[in-house]
Amino acid sequence: MKRILTLFTCCVCVCLMTSLSIAQGPLTVDIHGPGQRMVNIVLLPPKGLKGAPLPEAAAKAFEELVVNDLSYIPFLKIVPVTKLLGGDPSKGVMGADIDFKPFQLARVDLCMTTGWNGQYIEGRVFETYSGRRVVGKSYRDVHANLPQVADRFCSSFLEALTGKKGFFDSPIVFVKQDGKSKEIFTVLPQGRGLTRITQLGGFNLSPAWSGDGKQIAFTHIAKNRHELGIYDSETKKINRYYKGLGNTIISPVYGPDDTLYAALNINGATNIYELSKSYKAGKTLISGPYIDVSPSFDRTGSKMVFTSGRAGNPHIYLKDMKTGEIRRVTTTGKYNTHPCISPDGRFVAYTHQTSDGHRIYLHDLGTGREKQLTFGPGNDEYPAFGPDGYFVAFASSRSGEYKLYLTTRHGDTPRIISTGKGGAFAPAWDTSLQW
């Protein structure tokens, strides 16, 4: 009997040690994996640094900004500090200043500290089971740039946790209804920083960022012709081009080395062309008697997806830019448009027409599997991958008027992006800050 108890005790100890070693391993989240674990985090009360007084209003505003940013992450759950036994278990902002046992008892994975003085702010996130610091950053000029600081910190935190930077400081360019015209605007995914880019009248459509984030290309439909518009973010000027581009200019997009591509109608058919540095039609990428539009490149420029009518109905196709091989991606339905390939070239999001309206679908290029991401009501269209390949922006008429929304490639509950009055369409993400 004594031997049995001894063996039992040893087994329990081994199990506890194994469990503890697993819990103390580096906490990571695979956002592209088949499943996601929920991660709990506590934001500890801010502290003054080295005897400096705590700016109550700024500290509260910063915490609200961080909470708002983190609320976009489906696998993060913010746990109030009041849920911890004994309340706030910290005396400062360093790991040595924190008693991690209450977090472990409450099954909280992470905790965040912020320290303030008159010149800068320090932000840190710690694993509660190991005490390991996940991320630590210091920022100056905080009071003048509080939202930007919160965005940058949350992006760094998400990168440390998932290996992918957050989208928080990556603006989206889109089309906005302005009276009878459609103009180009930009906005952050959180709905801040709404900025008007064009005031040209007519229809300004299909905006796309250059890889360095310095230019936005778009189609301008004037009274008598189509024009290619190029907005320069440094000079704030817009140049328009039409000579040598044919009668129709559709869906311009930047590809490898920031070369510009567009669907042009030059010889009676709408095909996809590479444009020269002087914005004239160069070599043809996709040609034929059919309508070929909406090119989209992965980050390396080795893959391009596009919409083509070569099967009798619009479907999505993939071109291998190295071999020139073209293969069909979508095979179901009679209307598949607006493809967007993920930055890593693994997935294609697109608009698929169903009996209930347009919906966003996701195609895995590796397995061929497809998944419906959105379910209406209304129509869901124009998907656009974020810089991390995880978030997907799209336009939807579910509220009665087209607005922009965010979901993930797992199809999480969509969240509206505030863009003010007027319909919003055709989002495209700036990825220049991420890579």
Side-chain angles (χ1 to χ4, degrees):
M1 183 68 179
K2 183 177 180 180
R3 184 178 180 183
I4 293 174
L5 287 174
T6 302
L7 289 173
F8 176 76
T9 303
C10 290
C11 289
V12 170
C13 289
V14 169
C15 290
L16 286 173
M17 290 174 65
T18 303
S19 176
L20 184 60
S21 66
I22 292 173
Q24 290 183 346
L27 176 63
T28 58
V29 177
D30 180 9
I31 61 176
H32 297 300
Q36 299 173 354
R37 59 159 293 188
M38 185 62 68
V39 177
N40 297 320
I41 182 171
V42 166
L43 275 58
L44 292 172
K47 306 283 194 300
L49 295 174
K50 297 179 181 179
L54 180 69
E56 300 285 351
K60 181 179 179 181
F62 182 77
E63 180 173 321
E64 290 175 349
L65 288 164
V66 170
V67 168
N68 182 64
D69 278 358
L70 298 185
S71 69
Y72 283 81
I73 312 303
F75 54 80
L76 274 181
K77 179 182 179 182
I78 299 177
V79 178
V81 70
T82 54
K83 295 293 184 180
L84 301 179
L85 184 64
D88 180 10
S90 66
K91 297 179 180 179
V93 298
M94 308 293 288
D97 302 323
I98 303 171
D99 179 6
F100 291 108
K101 291 181 181 178
F103 297 99
Q104 298 166 8
L105 292 173
R107 297 185 178 180
V108 172
D109 306 282
L110 302 167
C111 66
M112 174 182 167
T113 67
T114 51
W116 292 75
N117 78 2
Q119 296 180 335
Y120 60 90
I121 178 177
E122 295 177 357
R124 296 175 178 83
V125 175
F126 298 92
E127 289 182 0
T128 62
Y129 286 93
S130 66
R132 183 182 74 92
R133 189 180 69 184
V134 177
V135 65
K137 295 290 182 179
S138 177
Y139 303 96
R140 293 186 178 273
D141 300 322
V142 175
H143 295 284
N145 303 286
L146 206 59
Q148 293 85 348
V149 170
D151 293 345
R152 288 165 59 194
F153 178 78
C154 290
S155 288
S156 296
F157 163 53
L158 200 61
E159 181 182 24
L161 192 62
T162 68
K164 302 288 185 179
K165 283 190 177 179
F167 66 86
F168 307 109
D169 49 0
S170 298
I172 294 172
V173 65
F174 66 101
V175 177
K176 192 172 188 292
Q177 188 76 41
D178 181 41
K180 294 183 179 181
S181 66
K182 290 181 172 65
E183 303 288 353
I184 307 298
F185 285 73
T186 62
V187 70
L188 286 172
Q190 307 93 314
R192 299 197 314 267
L194 182 65
T195 303
R196 184 169 187 152
I197 301 300
T198 66
Q199 198 163 355
L200 301 175
F203 290 169
N204 301 279
L205 309 170
S206 304
W209 291 96
S210 60
D212 59 12
K214 295 181 179 179
Q215 294 182 330
I216 297 173
F218 61 95
T219 297
H220 173 66
I221 302 179
K223 291 183 179 180
N224 301 319
R225 61 176 180 245
H226 282 203
E227 297 176 340
L228 172 67
I230 303 292
Y231 167 78
D232 188 302
S233 63
E234 295 180 345
T235 64
K236 310 299 182 185
K237 292 183 179 179
I238 296 174
N239 292 314
R240 290 182 280 173
Y241 306 89
Y242 64 92
K243 293 183 179 179
L245 295 175
N247 300 322
T248 302
I249 304 170
I250 301 174
S251 52
V253 67
Y254 289 90
D257 301 318
D258 266 349
T259 300
L260 195 58
Y261 299 82
L264 308 174
N265 189 325
I266 295 178
N267 300 312
T270 301
N271 298 141
I272 298 173
Y273 292 80
E274 177 181 316
L275 304 189
S276 68
K277 296 298 182 181
S278 58
Y279 302 106
K280 291 182 172 57
K283 67 178 181 180
T284 309
L285 258 69
I286 306 294
S287 62
Y290 356 86
I291 296 177
D292 302 310
V293 294
S294 303
S296 174
F297 293 87
D298 69 342
R299 190 184 303 116
T300 66
S302 61
K303 297 177 182 178
M304 182 188 76
V305 293
F306 62 100
T307 303
S308 178
R310 60 190 61 200
N313 303 101
H315 278 281
I316 311 303
Y317 292 79
L318 171 70
K319 178 172 182 176
D320 186 313
M321 297 298 288
K322 294 181 180 179
T323 66
E325 178 187 1
I326 296 175
R327 70 176 177 89
R328 184 169 168 176
V329 174
T330 58
T331 57
T332 59
K334 297 182 178 180
Y335 187 90
N336 298 288
T337 60
H338 304 132
C340 182
I341 192 168
S342 60
D344 62 4
R346 179 178 173 182
F347 301 100
V348 179
Y350 63 95
T351 302
H352 173 74
Q353 187 179 45
T354 72
S355 58
D356 296 321
H358 294 149
R359 299 288 179 261
I360 307 301
Y361 273 63
L362 186 78
H363 181 97
D364 188 324
L365 290 172
T367 65
R369 295 175 181 172
E370 294 193 328
K371 177 181 181 179
Q372 184 174 343
L373 295 186
T374 66
F375 297 86
N379 290 310
D380 304 322
E381 303 180 75
Y382 305 103
F385 274 106
D388 53 10
Y390 178 70
F391 284 93
V392 179
F394 65 98
S396 177
S397 64
R398 61 187 59 198
S399 67
E401 180 180 50
Y402 273 95
K403 294 291 183 182
L404 301 187
Y405 292 81
L406 283 182
T407 185
T408 71
R409 75 169 195 82
H410 298 296
D412 288 289
T413 302
R415 182 161 174 169
I416 193 169
I417 302 173
S418 178
T419 55
K421 295 181 179 180
F425 319 83
W429 232 302
D430 176 13
T431 62
S432 63
L433 298 177
Q434 306 298 317
W435 311 105

